[in-house]
Amino acid sequence: MNPSAGATAGAAGGALAGLSSEEAARRLRQAGPNRLPRTRAVPGWRRLLAEMTHFFAVMLWAAAALAFVAGMPQLGIAIMVVIVVNGVFAYIQQERAQHAAAKLRELLPAMVSVRRDGRIAKVHTTELVPGDAVVLVAGDRIPADLVLGLAAGCSVDESMLTGESEAVRKAAGEEVFGGTFLVIGSAEGVVASTGGHTRLAEIASLTGRVEPPPSPLALELQRIVRLVAGVALGIGALFFMLSLLVGISWRDAFLFAIGVAVALVPEGLLPTVTLSLAVGAQRMAARNALVRNLQAVETLGSTTFICTDKTGTLTQNRMNAVEVWTPAGLLEISGQGYGPDARISAGGGAAGAEALRAAQRLSTAARAASVGRAVPYEGQWVAEGDPMEAAIDALATRLAGLGAAGSGGSGSGGSAPEPTRRFAFDPRRLRESALAGATLYVKGAPESVLPVCLGEPGAARDLVDQMASRGLRVLAVAERQLPGPVPDGAAAETLETGLTLLGLIGLHDPPRAEVRLSLQAAREAGIRVGMVTGDHAFTAAAIARETGLIGTPELVLEGHTLPEDDQVLAALLDRDGVVVARVSPEQKLRVARLLQHRGHVVAMTGDGVNDGPALQQADIGVAMGRSGTDVAREAADLVLLDDDFATIIAAVEQGRATYANIRRFLTYHLTDNVAELTPFVFWALSGGRFPLALSVLQILALDIGTDLLPALALGSEAPSKGALKRPPERRHLMDRALMIRVFGLLGPVEALMEMAAYTAVLLGAGWSPGAELPASDALMAASGAAFTTVVLAQLANAFACRSATEPPWRLGWFTNRLLLWAVLAELGLLSVFLFLGPVAALLGHAPPSAGGLAVALAAVPAVLAADWLYKAARHRRPAASAAGPAAPGSPGARRGA
């Protein structure tokens, strides 16, 4: 379709006309939604097959085949059931996680500004049609292939298509492609192609799907699984050789070896972790924190330093011009929001009238150099574009509605110059300008504008510091009458000289009410917070004081005075409450790197197009969902849907909970493995004279039957009350503390009770060590007692694993509803395995005797008591109370509670 056909053919006031809503709807029906064709997904049956043919599954298939060859069909069938059940379980968990991730991606802002019905409107990117007039500002993702009708200092990042990192300058009449980013300037363009007809769709169809590299958490889990699997195979081989040495047939020796290997391989660990991360991401989304990749959920819990921006994160991003200074005098403005009504104090007499006229001239110039506007929407005035520029537009409207008497009112804003050319803001010039006729209008940071003005602006410099010290964001406004036409290739720097200073605008952005409490929570959690902003140092310091961010003694650094020596700067930065103002994108990136070199896990917030590198460098890049640019959101790991600093703290809390949950079910899994391995150890140490308490089939029933649901329930445990009352945990998942708890306490207690129940039944049947084995009925009852003991001990273990510091009765027995249902299901399965005749016969056990059942029941208080004593002993360690909060990166900071 010809993009210029229809309603976009005309232009009004230099802007593209756009389409009508009716025409856009017709074209949408004709062209279809603006989305890339769906890549051909891997069929579900292939994904399921992959879960049954990975490394560990292939080992088990081989074991099953050998079992059939050795004449043990029950074992072969049981191993095949393990493979299928674990494969289906892993497939379901992966599907749930992918579905959750897809739902979360739908929450990402995907709106674009277009001209419809003669006004700028926000529509979803999928509703773009050929011929639409799209309005773009720096940081926007280009939503479709466009032909630029207007371009003001535009540069486009086309690295997604070309691989070239250098931005490409674009002029009116040139084509830009969907999926690229406008990094500098502003533009309007007409949609040429949408959806499957775009250049990006062509490349996507050729590229195919590329799998992302594994994350650090995935590598850590793979390390654990391979380690445990290696140990399992080694122990299995050892038992096979021991069996042959004590004279057992190779058939029985093979049975024992397979049993050990199958018992210890944690096949369900990886999918359980994936589901836990997905649950954590969904909980974060419910608290307005959108995770763009699941692994970031765990990393958030390890954050030790938050570098936060000021505007919109600590403040409300609701700019309001409250002071205007011109050489003729100072005006104070009192108004709400972006509406035209305000009370303006300009003084009386001729001086007041002159100050008002000068302020009107200044506001008109500032509005000409701005793109954002204040517009009515659903009965109220809202910002369209940059909130700061919307506040300037509201200021111009308020001042234009005043007569010489200075009485308040509202007006239409009067006539304003229509720029024919714009020189966009960039973070190095710190200003932007617009050309209207022969007049150049300039606005920007005072330290950027004042040096290029004529005369000595000494009074203005003093006023800048005074206004900034009151927490105001200060802009300088100037103009220049140009002597003649401006050449097309003229650079902004050559024109923005010899300016006439019109005055200063002081804008107030009130702090968020909840920020002070959130900062206190961060500090209680052992997290340091610093402000890294492009704003004036006095403004940043004032907001830092007002919110309670700034530390004692106060330290405020400025970008142009940062030490060149990295070690010196890193030492200055590594403190709570530091403020770094007037930073460039390169300096923000340097701040992130230096803090990481000091051992910190850094979360960096940003919303602008130039924040992308720092967000990518940080361990956790945090972008703004409301006010942020598409570039920032693309580079970030976490998107704040409400732009609120408090949401970062909520996300950290959930991240810590997710990390703790992974350790919970890892502890649960490994404890069970100790109990499953113990009967084989007793048998081997006795040279085969002590009967085997558990068979391979019973171990498989424990792994795929009773243990599965409690592990999932532990993975969904809510954050503990003390999650934000301790320093971040920066340690391996399988560390010394976990191994001591599993292999030195919980596992041995379960194993002891298991073997006690087994031995009690045998002794009750008249057996003594070294004597002939009792009748098969007694052996089956003894094995049933051992099996029951492990199930009941794991029931208690599930409650014990809910916390690494508190006993379950202090947490409340009924606070994890999923665990209650899982335990009930576990008891139901135990009843089926014991009392359903065919199942019990297949497993080779029978219901335990009264004595065996009594020992099995005693396993519940035994496990809980041992766990309570361990936690009490850890709690009483003198070092835990004597030592103060450990510095981030020190060994003490890595000790978890």
Side-chain angles (χ1 to χ4, degrees), residues 55-131:
F55 173 71
F56 300 122
V58 169
M59 288 197 315
L60 293 177
W61 282 117
L66 290 173
F68 279 109
V69 171
M72 295 177 282
Q74 295 95 338
L75 177 60
I77 292 173
I79 295 174
M80 292 170 62
V81 169
V82 169
I83 299 170
V84 173
V85 170
N86 273 307
V88 171
F89 169 69
Y91 171 77
I92 292 174
Q93 304 301 60
Q94 294 286 355
E95 289 296 300
R96 288 185 62 187
Q98 290 181 12
H99 180 70
K103 286 291 186 184
L104 293 175
R105 284 193 294 269
E106 293 176 3
L107 298 176
L108 274 173
M111 307 300 287
V112 62
S113 296
V114 298
R115 293 192 181 275
R116 294 267 177 95
D117 302 317
R119 63 180 294 270
I120 296 178
K122 291 278 189 181
V123 300
H124 199 274
T125 54
T126 58
E127 298 174 10
L128 277 184
V129 297

Side-chain angles (χ1 to χ4, degrees), residues 201-490:
E202 295 174 8
I203 294 176
S205 64
L206 296 175
T207 303
R209 184 179 177 186
V210 178
E211 290 292 335
S215 68
L217 178 62
L219 293 174
E220 168 91 353
L221 291 168
Q222 290 174 12
R223 181 186 70 84
I224 292 173
V225 171
R226 290 183 182 276
L227 174 64
V228 174
V231 171
L233 291 176
I235 293 178
L238 176 64
F239 273 96
F240 181 73
M241 290 185 291
L242 286 174
S243 301
L244 295 178
L245 289 175
V246 298
I248 294 179
S249 69
W250 73 267
R251 180 180 181 275
D252 290 338
F254 175 73
L255 168 69
F256 295 143
I258 291 296
V260 171
V262 172
L264 293 182
V265 172
E267 305 94 342
L269 181 60
L270 292 177
T272 307
V273 170
T274 301
L275 182 64
S276 181
L277 293 174
V279 170
Q282 288 176 314
R283 287 177 174 172
M284 287 184 183
R287 302 175 76 171
N288 291 315
L290 175 60
V291 177
R292 297 189 68 249
N293 67 80
L294 290 181
Q295 309 302 333
V297 174
E298 184 272 335
T299 309
L300 268 165
S302 302
T303 300
T304 62
F305 204 113
I306 299 174
C307 297
T308 179
D309 200 357
K310 177 183 72 68
T311 304
T313 311
L314 299 177
T315 64
Q316 299 177 21
N317 203 18
R318 295 179 181 174
M319 296 285 187
N320 202 356
V322 296
E323 292 184 12
V324 175
W325 174 87
T326 66
L330 180 68
L331 273 67
E332 295 182 354
I333 301 100
S334 177
Q336 294 294 323
Y338 301 106
D341 298 320
R343 181 180 300 277
I344 298 175
S345 172
E354 178 61 26
L356 178 59
R357 284 191 295 270
Q360 289 171 333
R361 180 184 174 190
L362 173 145
S363 65
T364 301
R367 173 195 269 169
S370 303
V371 178
R373 294 291 183 262
V375 297
Y377 179 74
E378 295 184 353
Q380 60 180 346
W381 290 84
V382 298
E384 182 181 86
D386 189 335
M388 181 188 71
E389 295 189 340
I392 291 172
D393 183 45
L395 171 67
T397 301
R398 290 166 177 174
L399 293 176
L402 296 179
S407 60
S410 64
S412 62
S415 61
E418 186 65 39
T420 56
R421 188 172 174 185
R422 293 187 180 277
F423 298 93
F425 176 88
D426 74 60
R428 292 165 184 82
R429 282 170 43 239
L430 291 177
R431 58 182 182 264
E432 61 186 311
S433 55
L435 185 63
T439 306
L440 182 73
Y441 299 102
V442 182
K443 78 173 195 299
E447 62 267 34
S448 171
V449 175
L450 294 182
V452 293
C453 289
L454 298 173
E456 175 54 45
R461 293 183 192 277
D462 293 339
L463 277 166
V464 168
D465 292 344
Q466 293 175 23
M467 295 167 77
S469 64
R470 295 195 293 274
L472 301 184
R473 185 172 186 176
V474 186
L475 288 178
V477 183
E479 66 179 15
R480 178 188 175 190
Q481 297 297 322
L482 298 173
V486 177
D488 289 340

Side-chain angles (χ1 to χ4, degrees), residues 563-574 590 594 597-598:
E564 293 293 331
D565 188 283
D566 283 348
Q567 291 186 353
V568 173
L569 178 57
L572 290 172
L573 293 171
D574 193 3
R590 186 185 176 204
L594 291 180
H597 290 162
R598 297 275 290 189

Side-chain angles (χ1 to χ4, degrees), residues 588-640:
K588 196 167 187 178
L589 179 62
R590 186 185 176 204
V591 167
R593 283 176 175 165
L594 291 180
L595 287 172
Q596 287 172 325
H597 290 162
R598 297 275 290 189
H600 283 288
V601 176
V602 178
M604 175 76 73
T605 73
D607 56 6
V609 61
N610 293 289
D611 290 328
L615 296 182
Q616 288 181 323
Q617 174 65 38
D619 299 280
I620 292 291
V622 183
M624 304 300 112
R626 289 181 179 175
S627 61
T629 61
D630 292 333
V631 172
R633 286 192 286 266
E634 188 73 16
D637 303 291
L638 183 73
V639 178
L640 304 183

